[in-house]
Amino acid sequence: MARIDENGDRFGALIGAQFRARDREHRGDCPESETVAAYHERSLAGDERDGVERHLAGCAACREELAAIARASRDSAAVGAKPESGMRRWWTSAPVGFAIAGAIAIVVAIGLGRDYYNQESREQRQQLAMLSANRTTITAGQELHAMKRASVAKKAAESSNVAVPPSPPSQPAQASLASRAVTPEQMQATGAASSAIPGSGPATAPAIPGAAVGAATGSTLAQNQPSTFARLWRHTTVISPDGSVRWEFGSGGIIQRFGPGGMTAIRVPGVTADLLAGSAPSSAVCWIVGQGGVVLRTIDGFDWEKVNSPTSSDLIAVTASGPDAAVATARDSRRYATSDGGQTWQPQ
Amino acid sequence: MAARETSEEFIARHCAALADVYERGMARAYRVAPETMAAALYRGACSLPENASETVEHYLASVHAGDLALACALIAGDAAAWDEFVARYRPILYASARAIAGDELRARELADSLWAELYGIRGQTGARRPLLTYFHGRSSLATWLHAVLARRHIDALRAERRHSPLESVTADPAINSDPPNPEQPRYIELIGRALNDALDTLKPRDRLRLAYYYSDGLTLKEIGALMEEREWTVSRRLKRTREAIRRRVELRLRAAGLGTEEIRQCYDYAMEGWSSELKPATGAAAGGDATKDGRFVQSIRK
Ligand SMILES: [Zn+2]
C-alpha cells in the first residue's frame, strides 16, 4: 500500500470514517462559490482562508468541489484565455450567434464586434472607449491626446460596419464619464491651483460604439445633468502651491483634506450643493465654488465657512490670490471678483 | 467594510479607488456606467466577511477589475459584451465541465444549463437575478465559473446518491463469531468520542489535510497541489498529525480506565462498527482513480 502507513492502515481507516461521520449533510453554511474560487486562487486573507479551511475540513462536498475546480482550472487553461487577458484575437473562433437555453437569443453583430475589439493595443482600445462611451469630457490635461484620439476615432468610424445589435432586455443608461482626480502635474500645468471642470455627457448615448465615436468627434461639451452617481463619483482635487495639502471635494458638499494631520472630511453645515472648482493660494487658504453659486472658504485649511455669493447660477471656476481676493466664473461666463473675503462681489 | 455603510457613503469614502478600478477594468470599453460598476463593487464590499482582515481597501485594490467590468456589461445585457463573453468563455466552460463531470454528455448538459442562469431568466415577477450578480471580482471570472459548475455538479451527484437506494450493508455474521462482549457499545462510543475530540483540537489546515487523505482518498500529490505543499511535506505532516491523534486517543482511553488489551479491542470493535461506512467511501474517492480504490478494504482485511 503506497500510503503513509505501510502496516495496514486501520487507524487511518478509522480517521476516515470519523470524518465522514462528522461531514455535514446540508450545505447551508458553505462559503459562496466566489469565496471558494478565491481560496483556490490563494487570494484570501489569512483569517478568511483559515475559516474556509476549517469549513473544508468538515465538509466533504466543498472539498470535492475544490478538487473539481483544480481539475477544471488545469484543463481549461489550455483552451482559454488567461483571465483578464481580453486582448486575444478571439474572433478567429467564429463567434456567430448563440442561443441561450431557448429563451434569449444573443445575436451577434459581427461587424461591430470585430471592429470594436479588433484593436491590438490596450491603449488604443482605451482611447477608443473613451470616445465611444460618451461625448468626451475635455479637461485641461487631455488636449495633448486630442490629435491621437481623433485619428483613432476616424479609423474606427471608417471601419465600423454598423450592424444593428438586438436590443438587449435592459440597456443601462450611459452615464457621463467619471472625471479622474486632477493630478498634481495637471494642477501645475494649469498654473494657479484652480481646478478644471469636467464636462458631463448626456444621460443617453448610442448603444453602438461606432455611432458614438462619430458623435464624439464633434467634441461638444454637453451641459446635461449627470446622473446621481456620476456626480458622486466625480471629485475635484486642489493642491496647495507647496504641495503639502490636498483637498478633494465633489458632490454633496463633502470636502476631504489630506496633509499634515492626516485626512479629515467635513461637510460645511447647510451646504449640499455639488462643489465644482477650487483654488488654493496657500496651504491654509482655499476657495471652493459650486452649484447654485455656492462659495466656500477656509483660512486655516480645516474649517470652512460659506461666504456671500455673487450669483445663484453655478460657479464653475475660481482663482484665488489670498484669503480676501478671488475671482469666480459662472456657467454663463460672467465673472465676479471680491477683495473682502467674499462679503461683496463686483462683476468684471 | 464599515458596518452598514450606505452605498453613497461607500462611494464618497472610496471615490479614488473606485475610479481606479473603473479605469483598470476598462469599463468604458464595455459601455459600463460608473455607477453600475460602483454598485457592483458595493455589493462586493458588502459580501466581504465581517470582522475579517480583508478590508474594503484590499478588495478594491485586488479586485479583478476587467472581469467585473465584463460581468457588469453582461448583466446589463450588452450584446457586444455577450458576444465577447461567449467567444472567450465558451471553450473554457466546456473544458471546465468536462474536467468536472468526467463524461462528455454530462459535461454538455452541465455547461449548457448555465448560460441561461448567468443571464438570468425573467421570473413571474418580471425581475431577473442573473447569476453573474454573485460575481464580485474577488476571484477571476474563469475560476468563478469553474466553482459554479463544480458546485452544481457536486450537488447533483449528492442528490443522486441520496435518492439511489443505499447498498444494503448487512453485517456479515461470520465477523461476529466471537461471543459478544457486553462492553462493546461503550468501547465504540469511547473511541468515537476520543477521536472526535482529537480531530477538534487540530489546526484547521492539519485537519483539512487529513480529510483529503483519509476521507477523500486523494494522493499525496493531489493534496500537495491543493494545499501548495510538497509531497514529502504533506506526507511528513500527515504522519505527525496522525501520531498526535493516536496519542491523544490512547491517552483518553487510558484515562477512561482501559488497558492495552482493551484499547486493542476498542479498535477492533470500532472497525467492525464502521466497516459499513468504509465500503461506500472507497467508491466515492474523488476522481475515480482506480489505483486508489480498494485500499480501505485492503487495510481492513489485514
Ligand atoms: Zn461546504
Side-chain angles (χ1 to χ4, degrees), chain A residues 27-335:
Chain A
R27 306 198 60 191
D29 55 351
C30 291
E32 297 277 332
S33 289
E34 185 168 41
T35 309
V36 180
Y39 174 82
H40 169 77
E41 290 182 344
R42 282 87 164 105
S43 52
L44 291 184
D47 50 356
E48 197 182 3
R49 191 197 61 210
D50 290 349
V52 170
E53 290 187 340
R54 188 170 296 120
H55 175 85
L56 284 170
C59 181
C62 280
R63 290 199 303 274
E64 225 180 311
E65 210 168 285
L66 203 62
I69 293 170
R71 291 200 302 277
S73 300
R74 189 193 56 211
D75 289 9
S76 65
V79 299
K82 290 288 283 174
E84 304 226 6
S85 79
M87 294 296 113
R88 286 169 52 89
R89 293 179 159 271
W90 56 261
W91 54 88
T92 54
S93 61
V96 186
F98 194 86
I100 290 182
I104 311 106
I106 299 287
V107 184
V108 176
I110 309 164
L112 172 63
R114 279 197 186 155
D115 293 322
Y116 190 56
Y117 291 106
N118 188 358
Q119 300 294 325
E120 279 299 333
S121 80
R122 188 187 167 94
E123 192 193 358
Q124 270 184 330
R125 179 168 164 183
Q126 222 163 352
Q127 286 178 350
L128 184 61
M130 284 169 77
L131 288 169
S132 69
N134 215 319
R135 296 196 192 171
T136 185
T137 58
I138 305 293
T139 62
Q142 289 179 336
E143 274 115 12
L144 288 173
H145 299 292
M147 280 175 65
K148 206 169 170 186
R149 271 211 235 131
S151 75
V152 173
K154 196 172 160 223
K155 231 171 89 186
E158 280 166 7
S159 59
S160 282
N161 310 321
V162 176
V164 181
S167 45
S170 72
Q171 189 70 259
Q174 295 277 343
S176 66
L177 302 182
S179 83
R180 309 268 347 236
V182 179
T183 64
E185 295 76 50
Q186 285 173 312
M187 294 309 307
Q188 259 128 47
T190 54
S194 66
S195 59
I197 314 297
S200 55
T204 54
I208 303 158
V213 168
T217 47
S219 297
T220 37
L221 247 170
Q223 300 294 323
N224 296 33
Q225 281 300 310
S227 63
T228 314
F229 173 66
R231 283 190 282 119
L232 274 173
W233 181 275
R234 175 186 306 144
H235 65 279
T236 305
T237 302
V238 169
I239 296 165
S240 65
D242 64 0
S244 65
V245 181
R246 186 173 102 238
W247 292 273
E248 289 184 0
F249 49 87
S251 65
I254 293 169
I255 304 171
Q256 286 179 289
R257 176 192 179 277
F258 302 83
M263 191 275 267
T264 54
I266 66 137
R267 168 181 263 150
V268 182
V271 176
T272 52
D274 291 357
L275 304 176
L276 300 173
S279 174
S282 78
S283 60
V285 177
C286 184
W287 292 68
I288 291 175
V289 297
Q291 243 181 2
V294 67
V295 182
L296 305 174
R297 182 189 70 152
T298 179
I299 51 174
D300 64 3
F302 291 91
D303 291 324
W304 290 81
E305 58 171 343
K306 191 175 169 192
V307 301
N308 289 337
S309 169
T311 174
S312 60
S313 75
D314 294 353
L315 290 170
I316 59 166
V318 62
T319 307
S321 50
D324 296 325
V327 177
T329 308
R331 206 180 276 288
D332 56 15
S333 303
R334 287 187 203 180
R335 288 155 63 87

Side-chain angles (χ1 to χ4, degrees), chain B:
Chain B
M1 70 187 282
R4 311 305 114 211
E5 202 173 40
T6 68
S7 82
E8 294 213 341
E9 287 163 348
F10 170 79
I11 289 160
R13 183 196 298 268
H14 301 289
C15 237
L18 294 175
D20 182 59
V21 175
Y22 188 76
E23 292 292 318
R24 216 153 29 85
M26 293 189 289
R28 263 174 285 196
Y30 292 115
R31 297 153 298 275
V32 170
E35 56 263 65
T36 308
M37 189 81 169
L41 289 164
Y42 178 64
R43 281 200 305 273
C46 290
S47 81
L48 296 177
E50 282 184 47
N51 308 320
S53 59
E54 158 123 17
T55 58
V56 175
E57 285 78 12
H58 178 260
Y59 164 59
L60 293 176
S62 62
V63 67
H64 292 252
D67 284 359
L68 186 61
L70 175 58
C72 287
L74 296 174
I75 291 165
D78 183 282
W82 272 98
D83 175 13
E84 175 174 345
F85 177 67
V86 168
R88 261 170 71 190
Y89 285 91
R90 188 162 54 161
I92 294 176
L93 216 54
Y94 284 120
S96 171
R98 268 194 298 277
I100 289 166
D103 74 287
E104 190 71 25
L105 212 83
R106 218 174 164 136
R108 286 250 141 208
E109 207 180 318
L110 183 64
D112 284 341
S113 72
L114 196 65
W115 291 102
E117 283 186 63
L118 285 173
Y119 183 86
I121 298 293
R122 230 172 264 275
Q124 275 157 341
T125 55
R128 66 188 173 94
R129 173 90 204 244
L131 201 56
L132 278 161
T133 54
Y134 293 96
F135 174 73
H136 310 109
R138 296 188 67 202
S139 72
S140 68
L141 187 53
T143 306
W144 179 77
L145 288 168
H146 300 326
V148 169
L149 282 180
R151 177 152 300 183
R152 281 157 177 262
H153 178 65
I154 276 132
D155 282 347
L157 274 191
R158 287 166 73 86
E160 281 169 26
R161 272 182 222 154
R162 258 199 306 281
H163 292 133
S164 66
L166 288 171
E167 288 175 52
S168 51
V169 254
T170 44
D172 186 347
I175 296 176
N176 298 323
S177 53
D178 295 335
N181 183 339
E183 291 281 41
Q184 183 170 351
R186 188 171 80 93
Y187 282 9
I188 289 177
E189 205 203 315
L190 267 177
I191 194 170
R193 203 180 303 157
L195 204 49
N196 203 39
D197 292 352
L199 290 178
D200 278 343
T201 61
L202 297 176
K203 281 187 213 138
R205 204 169 162 80
D206 289 336
R207 195 160 61 227
L208 174 58
R209 199 182 295 106
L210 219 57
Y212 278 141
Y213 191 74
Y214 287 116
S215 175
D216 305 347
L218 301 190
T219 63
L220 298 176
K221 195 176 166 193
E222 286 166 332
I223 298 170
L226 284 171
M227 302 190 74
E228 260 191 329
E229 293 173 349
R230 291 171 190 279
E231 251 180 276
W232 64 267
T233 309
V234 175
S235 168
R236 191 164 43 86
R237 289 184 177 161
L238 276 173
K239 270 185 184 153
R240 204 179 53 200
T241 312
R242 175 201 155 95
E243 281 322 302
I245 294 175
R246 186 194 276 278
R247 272 199 306 277
R248 213 172 255 278
V249 167
E250 294 198 5
L251 223 61
R252 277 285 298 270
L253 295 178
R254 282 187 198 284
L258 273 58
T260 308
E261 176 55 25
E262 286 142 324
I263 289 174
R264 194 196 59 76
Q265 272 190 330
C266 268
Y267 281 124
D268 283 346
Y269 291 147
M271 292 311 301
E272 283 168 25
W274 281 330
S275 60
S276 59
E277 281 189 63
L278 300 179
K279 201 173 152 214
T282 50
D289 183 349
T291 58
K292 291 194 308 240
D293 288 344
R295 59 170 178 266
F296 283 129
V297 177
Q298 206 181 355
S299 63
I300 293 159
R301 284 188 189 135
K302 282 195 178 175

